Amino acid sequence: MVASHAYIKLVPSSAKETVSTEDIKELFQYFKEITSKTGSQVAWSYNEAAFPYEMKEMPEGKGKWFYLKSENDRYNIILLGVDKETFINEDGIEQEQTYIQITLPESSTFGDKGKANEFCRFLAKKLQGELHLFNGRVMYFYPRK
């Protein structure tokens, strides 16, 4: 599989203007928590199948990026990072916007892509952002005027 990227852009009407890797880690823990609750409701260890990843962080990525690693055969790795970009708004004014980049390296599987899409939608909904999917499509989760 070729490396691919998805982005969640925080627009002016998003729930937050900026986000940190710590915020994303907290949302990841919350996501794992709610998926495991689904499993207990149906009396099945759904947590292992729902999102079988553990959070890992390298010293050089601290505060910028981290990755989700799976020990399951069907899954491998998903990278997540936070950065800012500058753009020109409709009024011609230069602005800065925060975005989350989700990367599937070449070693990622199609299972990783499915789980990454699921997690991207969850993050975009929670943050009310603009989600640019791996296939180039855009989903809007923020209130429009």
Side-chain angles (χ1 to χ4, degrees):
M1 196 164 117
V2 178
S4 56
H5 311 280
Y7 301 91
I8 299 167
K9 297 183 179 189
L10 299 181
V11 296
S13 56
S14 291
K16 288 180 157 188
E17 287 282 320
T18 61
V19 71
S20 68
T21 53
E22 292 306 312
D23 296 332
I24 299 169
K25 288 176 188 176
E26 285 173 21
L27 285 167
F28 171 70
Q29 293 301 344
Y30 174 67
F31 184 70
K32 286 201 54 124
E33 191 180 300
I34 59 175
T35 54
S36 67
K37 282 182 182 171
T38 302
S40 64
Q41 288 172 350
V42 294
W44 183 54
S45 62
Y46 184 68
N47 190 28
E48 288 307 304
F51 213 75
Y53 294 92
E54 290 303 316
M55 205 174 355
K56 308 275 184 182
E57 190 169 32
M58 303 295 281
E60 64 271 19
K62 191 120 180 90
K64 292 195 178 296
W65 61 272
F66 64 95
Y67 64 98
L68 304 176
K69 179 79 176 131
S70 179
E71 298 302 319
N72 188 310
D73 294 346
R74 293 185 52 211
Y75 309 106
N76 189 18
I77 193 167
I78 301 170
L79 305 170
L80 291 109
V82 176
D83 206 355
K84 291 181 187 301
E85 67 181 352
T86 305
F87 71 100
I88 309 293
N89 69 11
E90 338 42 84
D91 303 328
I93 300 167
E94 201 173 271
Q95 274 188 297
E96 205 173 63
Q97 104 183 343
T98 301
Y99 67 89
I100 302 165
Q101 179 175 329
I102 299 90
T103 301
L104 296 171
E106 289 182 20
S107 61
S108 293
T109 66
F110 287 105
D112 289 324
K113 188 173 187 176
K115 295 298 181 187
N117 273 325
E118 195 180 323
F119 189 53
C120 283
R121 279 193 299 277
F122 169 79
L123 284 175
K125 246 183 231 177
K126 278 286 181 204
L127 299 169
Q128 295 180 335
E130 182 179 290
L131 172 58
H132 295 253
L133 291 161
F134 296 103
N135 63 10
R137 292 195 176 131
V138 180
M139 294 175 83
Y140 304 93
F141 292 97
Y142 57 88
R144 290 205 267 305
K145 299 173 187 165

